[in-house]
Coordinates of all heavy atoms in Angstrom, one line a residue:
Chain U
M125 N 14.3 12.7 -40.6 CA 15.7 13.0 -40.8 C 16.5 12.5 -39.6 O 17.6 12.0 -39.7 CB 15.9 14.6 -40.8 CG 15.7 15.2 -42.1 SD 16.1 16.9 -42.0 CE 15.7 17.5 -43.6
K126 N 15.9 12.6 -38.4 CA 16.5 12.1 -37.2 C 16.6 10.6 -37.2 O 17.6 10.0 -36.9 CB 15.8 12.6 -35.9 CG 16.5 12.3 -34.7 CD 15.7 12.8 -33.5 CE 16.5 12.5 -32.2 NZ 15.7 12.8 -31.0
A127 N 15.5 10.0 -37.6 CA 15.4 8.5 -37.6 C 16.4 7.9 -38.6 O 17.0 6.8 -38.4 CB 14.0 8.0 -38.0
T128 N 16.6 8.6 -39.8 CA 17.5 8.0 -40.8 C 18.9 8.6 -40.5 O 19.8 8.5 -41.4 CB 17.0 8.4 -42.2 OG1 16.8 9.8 -42.2 CG2 15.8 7.6 -42.5
E129 N 19.1 9.2 -39.4 CA 20.4 9.7 -39.0 C 21.0 10.7 -39.9 O 22.2 10.9 -40.0 CB 21.4 8.5 -38.8 CG 20.7 7.4 -38.0 CD 21.7 6.7 -37.1 OE1 22.9 6.6 -37.5 OE2 21.3 6.2 -36.0
Q130 N 20.2 11.5 -40.6 CA 20.7 12.5 -41.4 C 21.2 13.7 -40.6 O 22.2 14.3 -40.9 CB 19.6 13.1 -42.3 CG 19.2 12.1 -43.4 CD 18.1 12.6 -44.3 OE1 18.1 13.8 -44.7 NE2 17.1 11.9 -44.5
L131 N 20.5 13.9 -39.4 CA 21.0 15.0 -38.5 C 22.4 14.7 -38.0 O 23.2 15.5 -37.9 CB 20.0 15.2 -37.4 CG 18.6 15.7 -37.8 CD1 17.7 15.9 -36.6 CD2 18.7 16.9 -38.6
S132 N 22.5 13.4 -37.6 CA 23.9 13.0 -37.1 C 24.9 13.1 -38.1 O 26.0 13.5 -37.9 CB 23.8 11.5 -36.6 OG 22.6 11.3 -35.8
S133 N 24.6 12.8 -39.4 CA 25.5 12.9 -40.5 C 26.0 14.3 -40.7 O 27.2 14.6 -40.9 CB 25.0 12.4 -41.8 OG 24.1 11.3 -41.6
L134 N 25.0 15.2 -40.6 CA 25.3 16.6 -40.7 C 26.3 17.0 -39.6 O 27.3 17.7 -39.9 CB 24.1 17.5 -40.6 CG 23.2 17.6 -41.8 CD1 22.0 18.4 -41.5 CD2 24.0 18.3 -42.9
E135 N 26.1 16.5 -38.4 CA 27.0 16.9 -37.3 C 28.4 16.3 -37.5 O 29.4 16.9 -37.2 CB 26.4 16.4 -36.0 CG 25.5 17.4 -35.3 CD 25.0 16.9 -34.0 OE1 25.7 17.0 -33.0 OE2 23.9 16.4 -33.9
M136 N 28.4 15.1 -38.1 CA 29.7 14.5 -38.5 C 30.5 15.3 -39.4 O 31.7 15.4 -39.4 CB 29.4 13.1 -39.1 CG 28.9 12.1 -38.2 SD 30.2 11.1 -37.5 CE 30.9 10.3 -38.9
M137 N 29.7 16.0 -40.3 CA 30.4 16.9 -41.3 C 30.6 18.3 -40.8 O 30.8 19.2 -41.5 CB 29.6 17.0 -42.6 CG 29.5 15.6 -43.3 SD 28.7 15.8 -44.9 CE 27.0 15.8 -44.5
A138 N 30.5 18.4 -39.4 CA 30.7 19.7 -38.8 C 29.7 20.8 -39.2 O 30.0 22.0 -39.3 CB 32.1 20.2 -38.9
I139 N 28.5 20.3 -39.6 CA 27.4 21.3 -39.9 C 26.4 21.2 -38.8 O 25.9 20.1 -38.5 CB 26.7 21.0 -41.3 CG1 27.8 21.1 -42.4 CG2 25.6 21.9 -41.5 CD1 27.3 20.6 -43.7
D140 N 26.1 22.3 -38.2 CA 25.1 22.4 -37.1 C 23.7 22.1 -37.7 O 23.2 23.0 -38.4 CB 25.2 23.7 -36.4 CG 24.4 23.7 -35.1 OD1 23.7 22.7 -34.9 OD2 24.4 24.7 -34.4
P141 N 23.1 21.0 -37.3 CA 21.7 20.8 -37.9 C 20.7 21.9 -37.4 O 19.7 22.1 -38.1 CB 21.3 19.4 -37.4 CG 22.3 19.1 -36.3 CD 23.5 19.9 -36.5
L142 N 21.0 22.5 -36.3 CA 20.1 23.5 -35.8 C 20.1 24.7 -36.8 O 19.1 25.3 -37.1 CB 20.5 24.0 -34.4 CG 20.1 23.2 -33.2 CD1 20.6 23.8 -32.0 CD2 18.6 23.0 -33.2
R143 N 21.3 25.0 -37.3 CA 21.4 26.1 -38.2 C 20.9 25.7 -39.6 O 20.3 26.5 -40.4 CB 22.8 26.6 -38.3 CG 23.3 27.1 -37.0 CD 24.6 27.8 -37.1 NE 24.8 28.5 -35.8 CZ 25.6 29.5 -35.7 NH1 26.3 30.0 -36.7 NH2 25.8 30.1 -34.5
R144 N 21.3 24.5 -40.0 CA 21.1 24.1 -41.4 C 19.7 23.7 -41.6 O 19.0 23.9 -42.7 CB 22.1 23.0 -41.7 CG 22.0 22.3 -43.0 CD 22.5 23.2 -44.1 NE 21.9 22.6 -45.3 CZ 22.2 22.9 -46.5 NH1 23.1 23.8 -46.7 NH2 21.6 22.4 -47.5
V145 N 19.1 23.0 -40.6 CA 17.8 22.3 -40.8 C 16.7 23.1 -40.1 O 15.6 23.4 -40.6 CB 17.8 20.9 -40.4 CG1 16.4 20.2 -40.5 CG2 18.8 20.1 -41.3
V146 N 16.9 23.4 -38.8 CA 15.8 23.9 -38.0 C 15.6 25.4 -38.2 O 14.5 25.8 -38.4 CB 16.2 23.6 -36.5 CG1 15.2 24.3 -35.6 CG2 16.1 22.1 -36.2
A147 N 16.7 26.2 -38.2 CA 16.5 27.6 -38.3 C 15.7 28.1 -39.6 O 14.8 28.8 -39.4 CB 17.9 28.3 -38.3
P148 N 16.1 27.6 -40.8 CA 15.3 28.0 -41.9 C 13.8 27.7 -41.8 O 13.0 28.5 -42.2 CB 15.9 27.3 -43.1 CG 17.3 26.9 -42.6 CD 17.2 26.7 -41.2
R149 N 13.5 26.5 -41.3 CA 12.1 26.1 -41.1 C 11.4 27.0 -40.1 O 10.2 27.4 -40.3 CB 12.0 24.7 -40.7 CG 12.3 23.7 -41.9 CD 12.5 22.3 -41.5 NE 12.7 21.4 -42.6 CZ 13.8 21.4 -43.3 NH1 14.8 22.1 -43.0 NH2 13.9 20.6 -44.4
F150 N 12.1 27.3 -39.1 CA 11.5 28.2 -38.0 C 11.2 29.6 -38.6 O 10.1 30.1 -38.5 CB 12.4 28.3 -36.8 CG 11.9 29.3 -35.8 CD1 10.9 28.9 -34.9 CD2 12.5 30.6 -35.7 CE1 10.5 29.8 -34.0 CE2 12.0 31.5 -34.8 CZ 11.0 31.1 -33.9
W151 N 12.2 30.2 -39.3 CA 11.9 31.5 -39.8 C 10.9 31.5 -40.9 O 10.1 32.4 -41.0 CB 13.3 32.2 -40.3 CG 14.1 32.6 -39.2 CD1 15.3 32.0 -38.8 CD2 13.8 33.6 -38.2 NE1 15.8 32.6 -37.7 CE2 14.9 33.6 -37.3 CE3 12.8 34.5 -38.0 CZ2 15.0 34.5 -36.2 CZ3 12.8 35.3 -36.9 CH2 13.9 35.3 -36.0
A152 N 10.9 30.5 -41.7 CA 9.9 30.4 -42.8 C 8.5 30.4 -42.2 O 7.6 31.1 -42.6 CB 10.1 29.1 -43.6
G153 N 8.3 29.6 -41.1 CA 7.0 29.6 -40.4 C 6.6 30.9 -39.8 O 5.5 31.4 -40.0
M154 N 7.6 31.5 -39.1 CA 7.4 32.8 -38.5 C 7.0 33.9 -39.5 O 6.1 34.8 -39.3 CB 8.6 33.3 -37.8 CG 8.9 32.7 -36.4 SD 7.6 33.1 -35.3 CE 7.9 34.8 -35.0
I155 N 7.6 33.9 -40.7 CA 7.3 34.9 -41.7 C 6.0 34.5 -42.5 O 5.2 35.4 -42.7 CB 8.5 35.0 -42.7 CG1 9.7 35.5 -42.0 CG2 8.1 35.9 -43.9 CD1 11.0 35.3 -42.8
S156 N 5.8 33.2 -42.8 CA 4.7 32.8 -43.6 C 3.4 33.0 -42.9 O 2.4 33.4 -43.5 CB 4.9 31.4 -44.1 OG 6.0 31.2 -44.8
M157 N 3.3 32.6 -41.6 CA 1.9 32.6 -41.1 C 1.2 33.9 -41.0 O 0.0 34.0 -41.3 CB 1.9 31.9 -39.7 CG 0.5 31.4 -39.4 SD 0.1 30.9 -37.8 CE 1.2 29.6 -37.5
P158 N 1.9 35.0 -40.5 CA 1.1 36.3 -40.6 C 0.7 36.7 -42.0 O -0.4 37.2 -42.2 CB 2.2 37.3 -40.0 CG 3.0 36.5 -39.2 CD 3.2 35.2 -39.8

Side-chain angles (χ1 to χ4, degrees):
Chain U
M125 278 184 185
K126 190 181 181 189
T128 52
E129 313 216 326
Q130 293 179 43
L131 296 184
S132 317
S133 323
L134 281 176
E135 270 182 84
M136 291 269 292
M137 292 186 282
I139 298 171
D140 185 358
L142 282 179
R143 299 193 167 198
R144 174 75 202 191
V145 175
V146 171
R149 284 166 176 77
F150 175 76
W151 286 113
M154 280 298 289
I155 296 167
S156 297
M157 202 196 297

